[in-house]
Amino acid sequence: MISTALSVVSLRDLALVQAVHRHGSFNSAARSMHISPSGLSHQVQKVEQALGVPLFERGGRKIGVTGAGKGLLKQIDALLLGADQLQQAARAGQMAFGGELKLGLPISLGPYLLPHLIDPFPQRFPGARLSISEGKPRGLLRRLHEGELDAVLAPPALGAVPSGIAVQEIFFEPWELMLGAGHPLAGQASISLDQLDPSEAVLMEESHTEDLLDCPHGGQQVQDVSLESLAGLISLHGGYALVPALAHQRLASFPNVAISRLKGRAAGRRILLYWRDANPWTEDLAQLTDLLRGMAASLPVLRELTPPKRAARAAESAADGHAAPVAMAAGGQHL
């Protein structure tokens, strides 16, 4: 605890002491600090009295440092450096998101959305750093609630969402069909689900949770695979899978797979932005929402969702469920 005597010393007083040490002269230090020599001498004496130790040996043109003063002057230097660093951190905190946005993205969205976000983000938020974490939506929302992330882009949450989480709809991403190259329908530009054998369906839980609600699992179960791994399985074993439209270019590059549009249904997933109600960067989050919606409007494969009048509660959104669910028949493989 700082003593009453030391509490009267300001950072300015310590900076004056530092200047005397640096210049080795009261007159030179006074000129550099824009203060009279007598005023400087008075402030230095105030610091010495508060510390109870003389810092300088006065006499002659050159000022010397006392034995005790050498150690104390190092402490003063360290204190002023810490104050400068504190000020720099405060200035960084005045940037958007306090200088850094920690954004969570599902593994089925992050690699395909980021190329469209990397360039416009620093243009909209100069000086702010974008830090990305990928994972499962449920885990990302848990980390958001615990304060590890600032915001999360993910489909509507299933089940209970922690209190204190707000959400805003951003865009709608259609599903496409990925089929093995040997599939009888491979190569067709558009395919209806009614043309497909449900037993050949391969589903990934992270992407297709809403499609599994009324679909009993059957066959082999493979957990925690990326879309690239899903493409590898389809190319080796055949069948088909629903895949997000943003991943079209990447998945179409895999050998022995074909990508087709879904015919008839507007099937896909809504992507929402989640954040904590207590987040102090509300204006920055509003700008981020505008940026993401504008990005979605510029991408032909996405549809911008009509912004609601105000941000809804995450629990209300979860109660609404997912847009345009696809009812996959029993017998599909659950990934």
Side-chain angles (χ1 to χ4, degrees), residues 28-64:
S28 298
R31 285 193 297 270
S32 70
M33 299 299 289
H34 306 288
I35 187 174
S36 68
S38 60
L40 173 62
S41 178
H42 174 75
Q43 296 303 106
V44 170
Q45 287 178 9
K46 183 177 77 170
V47 174
E48 290 176 323
Q49 290 173 359
L51 293 173
V53 176
L55 299 174
F56 300 109
E57 295 177 354
R58 295 161 174 81
R61 294 185 178 181
K62 191 69 175 178
I63 299 297

Side-chain angles (χ1 to χ4, degrees), residues 131-196:
S131 298
I132 299 297
S133 293
E134 292 185 347
K136 294 182 178 181
R138 183 175 299 178
L140 293 173
L141 290 176
R142 175 186 56 78
R143 294 176 62 193
L144 173 67
H145 182 252
E146 294 174 355
E148 295 180 18
L149 298 173
D150 299 316
V152 169
L153 272 174
L158 293 177
V161 175
S163 62
I165 302 297
V167 65
Q168 191 76 275
E169 291 188 331
I170 302 298
F171 60 81
F172 178 83
E173 182 181 20
W175 295 129
E176 294 184 336
L177 277 170
M178 179 171 62
L179 306 96
H183 195 283
L185 299 178
Q188 294 191 17
S190 60
I191 301 171
S192 169
L193 284 176
D194 297 335
Q195 299 175 256
L196 297 165

